[in-house]
Amino acid sequence: MGLEFITRIIRTTAMVALLAALAVSVYYDWNFALGMLVGTLWGLTNLFLMKLLIREVISPRKTRMNQAVVLMLVKFPLLYVGGYLILAWGFFSAYSLLAGFSLMFAVTLLKVLGRVVMGMDVPGLTQLTRNQAEGTN
């Protein structure tokens, strides 16, 4: 698993959040659904900026400190102050924002469990050996 795994988490979470917000808006409340989307967007932006920061700081090539500092200035003060302002604004309930933010962790857990069950991270386990273990060819 590399940084592309984070990209897949972001993409999957965005799709699940749209479907969940649609269902919540129809069966519960549109304001709660919009709060879920805002919470998800905040969490995914945080994860995306973290991925960029990791790529800039921890990489085999020379670290570009200018870009790393800009990313830190955007991620830490601006993103977290923005999250506080969204919560303090009071338009969305804290539960809807928390539900949207937590969706990313649920998707991550399910993706990791899927990889474990399918044996995707076991070295030397190819599709042929999986088929042999299952008794199919």
Side-chain angles (χ1 to χ4, degrees):
M1 281 190 286
L3 291 178
E4 73 278 352
F5 185 68
I6 295 175
T7 304
R8 290 195 311 267
I9 288 172
I10 291 171
R11 201 174 329 133
T12 305
T13 304
M15 287 186 273
V16 170
L18 287 174
L19 291 174
L22 182 63
V24 167
S25 69
V26 170
Y27 293 110
Y28 183 62
D29 183 29
W30 69 271
N31 195 18
F32 194 89
L34 192 59
M36 279 181 56
L37 283 177
V38 169
T40 303
L41 181 65
W42 189 88
L44 292 180
T45 304
N46 189 18
L47 184 63
F48 178 73
L49 289 174
M50 190 181 310
K51 180 184 98 166
L52 292 179
L53 189 60
I54 289 170
R55 185 183 300 155
E56 289 302 321
V57 174
I58 304 171
S59 74
R61 65 180 195 276
K62 187 177 181 216
T63 301
R64 297 181 290 193
M65 286 306 287
N66 293 341
Q67 288 185 345
V69 168
V70 168
L71 283 170
M72 283 189 257
L73 288 176
V74 169
K75 181 183 178 344
F76 295 109
L78 290 180
L79 190 64
Y80 294 149
V81 167
Y84 169 76
L85 292 175
I86 290 170
L87 192 58
W89 182 28
F91 186 72
F92 305 113
S93 75
Y95 295 118
S96 67
L97 294 170
L98 183 63
F101 184 76
S102 300
L103 189 61
M104 174 181 56
F105 298 112
V107 168
T108 304
L109 176 68
L110 291 174
K111 280 190 156 295
V112 168
L113 287 176
R115 291 181 70 88
V116 168
V117 167
M118 292 172 38
M120 295 176 73
D121 293 328
V122 177
L125 189 62
T126 62
Q127 186 62 40
L128 179 61
T129 54
R130 277 191 208 112
N131 289 342
Q132 289 172 347
E134 294 171 357
T136 60
N137 286 326

